[in-house]
Structure formats: structure tokens, C-alpha cells
Amino acid sequence: MYIKSIESLVAIANEQNKKISDIVIDIEAKSEKTDRQAIIDKMTSYYDIMKESVENGKKDKFNFVTGLQNECVDIVEKFYKAKKSILGETVGEVVTAAMAVSGYNACMGKIIAAPTAGSCGIMPAVLTVCENRGYKKEDIVKSMFTAAGLADIIAQIATFAGAGGGCMAECGSAAAMASSACAEIMGGTPEECAHAFALSLSAVLGLICDPVAGFVEVPCMGKNVMSAVHAIVSAELACAGFKSVIPPDEVVLAMKEVGDGMDERFRETAKGGLANTPTGRAIAEKLLGRINK
Ligand code: SF4
């Protein structure tokens, strides 16, 4: 990608009266010296792997390294099937899918890292639920280019790495990507997609990375679930006309500032936050024979 700002990407889309996804597909086809269909076919194969990871994550019996949350998907599915949820069936589907893929990754299942393995539950949960709600697969696949195009600005300015910018960089970026995709799927304009991206990201600035005992399980699965729901809410807010007061590019700059200023304890070292609680340290000691210092 060669677009240097979200503002430019939106402006090009508006000038050409196209969706952001169409602009990104054109750029990718040119850069890969191929045609649009080849680029779309490749993305379709990634979406199919995402769908498989949802299904596999739901049906597989987990055997986590920590053994701490082996029953997680069963428990959650049972709750939603019992119709106990205040938020309802769709949220239940999002929650279950995000947890299934996140758990599947923790157990070494095949996933698509979008943008990272730790945050891999968010995009599949949001996109597959859109397909379950009747949106066309081809539009869902196209929306992944909008997510990728906007996320490329994060890649250029900030980071996707928890070790660089905390969980804000992983689950925060994934939520922003999923939110922009969801906005486009729902018929949002380029500006609305950009605002969905910004609203989603701005709400999680400062989110730390504190994996207990260093495993991508606790609190990662919960963060995937919350981020997936948050992504859809941000998309709906943007499509309703609610804007990020801080322009999307400035939100990414703020993300960079927050990540750079984040204490090392909160950047995937498992030395701070939940990893450094008495229980977190006891789990680490039991599993790894050491206490984080
Ligand atoms: S808490 Fe850290 S390891 Fe877990 S998903 Fe977030 S960034 Fe990844």
C-alpha cells in the first residue's frame, strides 16, 4: 500500500465514487501485477479459513496449555442457547465465535492472524455473524480490503505488536479493522467506515498486554470477545452518523504516542497487570516453575 493517511484513502474513494475496498483492491492488483479477481480470490480463501476456525473452535474439545479454560466455549454456548442473554442471539453468536477462534489459536489451530494471532477471534466473529445475518459473502470478503487498507495506516505509523503498544495494538487494531469492515457491509460510506475504525480504536487507547504466565489465553480470550462486540457497536454508531470528534488519522497518532509511552510491564512481558496479581504469579509459578519479577 502507498496511501499515507486515512484522510487520503477516504478522499480517493470519494473522488472515484467508490468504496474504500475497491480502491484497496485496485492498489493491491497493481502492486501484485495481477487482476482484481485474483486478489479477491486470495482474500476469499482467507475468509474461508476464518469460517473454518469458527466451526473448528466450536466443535473441538480444547486442551489449553494452562488447562484453565478448557470448557469455555461449551459454557458460553449453553448460556446463550438457554436464552438467558439480555443482549440476545446475535451478541451470543459474536461472543461464541470470538471465543471459539481465540481458543482454537491458543490450542495451535489454524487461524488467520488479522492483524495478529492473539487478536485472531475478532475479525472472524464479526464477519461470520454478518454472513449469518444475510449479508452476501462477496461483500463481506470485499470489506476485508477496507479493514486492511485502514489498518495499513496503523502499520505505517504505529504497530500491531502487543510487545510494542500493548493489547491496544493487537485487539484494538483488530476491533478497528472489524468495525470498518462491518460499517462497509452495512452500506456505510467511506467516511463512516473511517469513523467506525476511529471510534473503535479510540475507546481502547491504553489497553495493556498482560498475559498470565505469558500464554495467549488469560485475559486474551475475554479481550477478543469484548473487542468483537465493541467493533459491531462502533460500526453501528458510525453508520448512525455518530463521528469520532478526533479525526481518524489523529487517533492513530495518539495510539502511537500511548504505545511508545507504555511501561514495559504492560507490553507482553507478563510482568504487570493481571500477570502480576497474586493469582497470576501463582499460575506462572505452577506452570513455569518461576515467579515473574
Ligand atoms: S493481552 Fe497481549 S497476548 Fe493477549 S491478546 Fe492482548 S496483546 Fe495479545
Side-chain angles (χ1 to χ4, degrees), residues 48-248:
D48 288 339
I49 295 170
M50 285 185 177
K51 284 174 74 171
E52 283 166 25
S53 66
V54 172
E55 290 314 310
N56 291 336
K58 280 187 196 169
K59 68 175 186 253
D60 278 19
K61 290 288 162 215
F62 288 143
N63 188 15
F64 290 118
V65 180
T66 65
L68 292 171
Q69 298 180 113
N70 288 352
E71 308 300 324
C72 61
V73 174
D74 288 345
I75 290 168
V76 169
E77 260 197 318
K78 200 168 157 194
F79 173 85
Y80 282 103
K81 279 183 179 160
K83 302 204 183 298
K84 291 181 180 174
S85 167
I86 292 170
L87 291 171
E89 195 183 333
T90 302
V91 169
E93 279 177 48
V94 176
V95 168
T96 308
M99 187 164 278
V101 179
S102 181
Y104 193 53
N105 169 62
C107 297
M108 303 298 147
K110 184 177 176 183
I111 52 88
I112 293 289
T116 64
S119 60
C120 67
I122 299 161
M123 284 280 283
V126 172
L127 298 179
T128 57
V129 168
C130 286
E131 192 172 355
N132 293 347
R133 293 281 85 75
Y135 290 101
K136 286 185 197 157
K137 181 178 175 182
E138 63 198 66
D139 292 336
I140 290 166
V141 169
K142 272 186 72 180
S143 79
M144 293 167 74
F145 289 97
T146 291
L150 293 169
D152 190 59
I153 309 301
I154 293 180
Q156 293 180 52
I157 290 171
T159 179
F160 295 134
C167 200
M168 160 187 72
E170 289 204 20
C171 288
S173 297
M177 292 168 69
S179 190
S180 63
C182 186
E184 186 172 294
I185 291 165
M186 290 192 296
T189 63
E191 283 93 351
E192 286 166 351
C193 296
H195 279 280
F197 188 87
L199 286 168
S200 192
L201 191 56
S202 57
V204 296
L205 292 187
L207 186 68
I208 62 170
C209 172
D210 52 350
V212 169
F215 294 108
V216 188
E217 294 182 25
V218 182
C220 313
M221 287 199 293
K223 285 179 170 176
N224 271 261
V225 167
M226 301 304 168
S227 300
V229 175
H230 169 56
I232 297 177
V233 173
S234 298
E236 292 189 344
L237 282 175
C239 288
F242 187 79
K243 289 182 172 23
S244 170
V245 170
I246 307 301

